[in-house]
Amino acid sequence: MTPYDDMAPPAKGSASTTPLVDGFGRTVTYLRLSVTDRCDLRCVYCMAEHMTFLPKAEVLSLEELDRIATAFIGLGTRKIRLTGGEPLVRKGMMDLIRSLSRHLRSGALDELTLTTNGTRLAEFAPQLAAAGIRRVNVSLDTLKPDLFRTLTRGGQVAKVLEGVAAAKAAGLAVKINTVALKQDNAAEIPDLIRWAHGEGHDLTLIETMPMGEIEADRTDQYLSLGEVRRELESFWTLDEIAHRTGGPARYVRIAETGGRLGLITPLSHNFCESCNRVRLTCTGTLHTCLGQEDATDLRAVLRAGATDAELMAAIRGGVDAKPKGHDFEIARRQPAVARHMSTTGG
Ligand code: SAM
Ligand code: SF4
């Protein structure tokens, strides 16, 4: 039971009965909620080796996260993805998930899911399945123990593989997300796809995005998925399929493996016209575009004692100003936005 279980259904004509539509007519139905900036790994493209994490007081409490998520659901959000940092390292994470799952049971929410690095999935998979989670995205860039240790600065790939197996055993659908890295895993991509499809998992390839200052020069690691696709097509048959998620991924079916491959190309394709999503950082800042600096401070609204109606009005204001599109440009060798992916939530 949470303080919101007995929240009255929205009155007709109230702020919450009209959908959340931005200034360009796009309806927002998908919230990516970062629940922590902390992580047990330090992926080279995501974090600096020595990160300074936020003081606890700046991070939304579990109750605040629940309240904001519930306000979004009241405004028509149908899908919530929990992310981070690493969501499964946040203390009390399962309490938040169990609490939010009441919206699945009521039918107000179609899907509650999470993106995880998988290191703690073996421990949590059964509880996640019991709470109504049906799918998880697991980030995995290599199956090679040594390379995994290098890319994550100390992680053990065996733990992730154990987590993926536990998720499958618990009945969760798993999608593997792989960042394509020119030097590190380019040659391994076919093996990763073969492994994922062999296990019955979709795999999505992601291009590196210029987010936040890190030590390495990321243009060295940028690998165009157009190039990867041409390489895969030299030995496999890739059939276009209609599957879309409202996000930047395009999907193909590989005839030889029978599995589905997603390609996320934020740098080489424009997907902004159909964007249905917004992001909330773990400090309560609403970002309506991953590649722009626009921001609405919902934590300030909440901590000033806002009513649910006032909170919803603040969300509407933020969404109304959602930019038309992003502005990533790898050639500039500068992060398009200064914030790290781990703060925004990938
Ligand atoms: N820790 C969880 C994980 O790794 O899945 C969730 C958060 S992580 C920031 C979400 C996703 O963002 C991961 O799939 C990660 O590979 C991706 N990511 C992080 N930094 C990125 C970057 N600069 N470019 C592209 N993808 C990035
Ligand atoms: Fe952690 Fe995920 Fe970032 Fe890797 S990508 S450092 S696992 S938050």
Side-chain angles (χ1 to χ4, degrees):
M1 179 80 181
T2 75
Y4 315 109
D5 275 349
D6 55 0
M7 211 165 97
K12 214 170 177 217
S14 76
S16 53
T17 52
T18 35
L20 205 47
V21 180
D22 73 7
F24 296 95
R26 294 167 297 192
T27 304
V28 169
T29 55
Y30 180 8
L31 172 67
R32 293 170 85 103
L33 187 58
S34 175
V35 297
T36 180
D37 63 327
R38 289 166 196 258
C39 187
D40 53 343
L41 301 180
R42 296 285 184 281
C43 300
V44 289
Y45 47 75
C46 177
M47 289 196 183
E49 185 159 13
H50 302 287
M51 290 289 288
T52 311
F53 292 109
L54 294 162
K56 202 172 164 214
E58 289 196 25
V59 176
L60 295 179
S61 67
L62 296 175
E63 291 73 20
E64 288 172 325
L65 286 165
D66 191 309
R67 182 146 179 236
I68 294 182
T70 300
F72 269 94
I73 294 165
L75 289 167
T77 290
R78 302 297 308 177
K79 175 173 173 179
I80 295 182
R81 176 174 297 282
L82 303 170
T83 176
E86 173 48 40
L88 294 179
V89 302
R90 171 93 199 237
K91 242 198 189 144
M93 191 56 201
M94 277 315 306
D95 295 331
L96 176 66
I97 290 175
R98 277 190 282 266
S99 174
L100 289 176
S101 71
R102 71 190 185 279
H103 298 298
L104 293 171
R105 290 191 297 278
S106 76
L109 194 62
D110 294 330
E111 184 167 32
L112 179 62
T113 182
L114 73 161
T115 298
T116 172
N117 63 27
T119 59
R120 303 195 65 189
L121 202 49
E123 181 186 341
F124 287 109
Q127 299 173 60
L128 291 170
I133 305 271
R134 295 286 160 257
R135 301 192 301 162
V136 288
N137 285 2
V138 179
S139 305
L140 181 62
D141 302 331
T142 178
L143 295 167
K144 299 176 183 165
D146 288 348
L147 181 57
F148 188 86
R149 203 171 305 119
T150 306
L151 286 178
T152 60
R153 299 195 184 95
Q156 292 174 41
V157 74
K159 277 195 172 176
V160 181
L161 297 178
E162 210 185 300
V164 169
K168 185 176 169 180
L172 300 172
V174 176
K175 179 160 79 72
I176 304 294
N177 280 341
T178 302
V179 176
L181 301 162
K182 194 171 190 169
Q183 269 100 40
D184 294 317
N185 68 0
E188 196 191 343
I189 288 173
D191 288 340
L192 276 158
I193 295 172
R194 232 181 260 115
W195 165 77
H197 289 178
E199 292 290 322
H201 310 312
D202 288 350
L203 184 142
T204 291
L205 293 170
I206 305 169
E207 280 176 351
T208 51
M209 284 183 263
M211 303 276 301
E213 292 289 355
I214 49 170
E215 293 93 346
D217 179 351
R218 77 186 80 227
T219 47
D220 291 346
Q221 284 285 22
Y222 175 71
L223 173 62
S224 143
L225 292 187
E227 229 174 281
V228 175
R229 192 182 169 143
R230 278 189 292 282
E231 164 76 10
L232 296 177
E233 279 174 331
S234 71
F235 47 86
W236 280 339
T237 313
L238 274 50
D239 297 316
E240 296 283 344
I241 49 176
H243 185 74
R244 291 303 309 268
T245 56
R250 297 275 186 286
Y251 290 89
V252 295
R253 169 112 27 222
I254 301 182
E256 290 78 2
T257 63
R260 200 153 56 184
L261 175 71
L263 301 150
I264 299 191
T265 55
L267 299 175
S268 41
H269 281 277
N270 203 304
F271 54 87
C272 303
E273 322 77 57
S274 61
C275 181
N276 63 355
R277 60 194 58 192
V278 294
R279 292 174 164 81
L280 190 80
T281 68
C282 58
T283 56
T285 303
L286 176 66
H287 292 294
T288 57
C289 179
L290 186 58
Q292 298 276 5
E293 294 285 5
D294 77 292
T296 307
D297 185 357
L298 296 181
R299 183 185 66 190
V301 175
L302 213 59
R303 293 189 181 171
T307 61
D308 288 330
E310 286 163 348
L311 177 58
M312 286 179 175
I315 293 172
R316 271 197 197 286
V319 167
D320 188 52
K322 183 169 159 72
K324 192 170 182 195
H326 66 59
D327 191 24
F328 288 128
E329 176 58 84
I330 202 89
R332 279 196 227 142
R333 293 176 171 250
Q334 288 294 327
V337 283
R339 58 184 193 262
H340 284 258
M341 186 74 103
S342 53
T343 319
T344 314

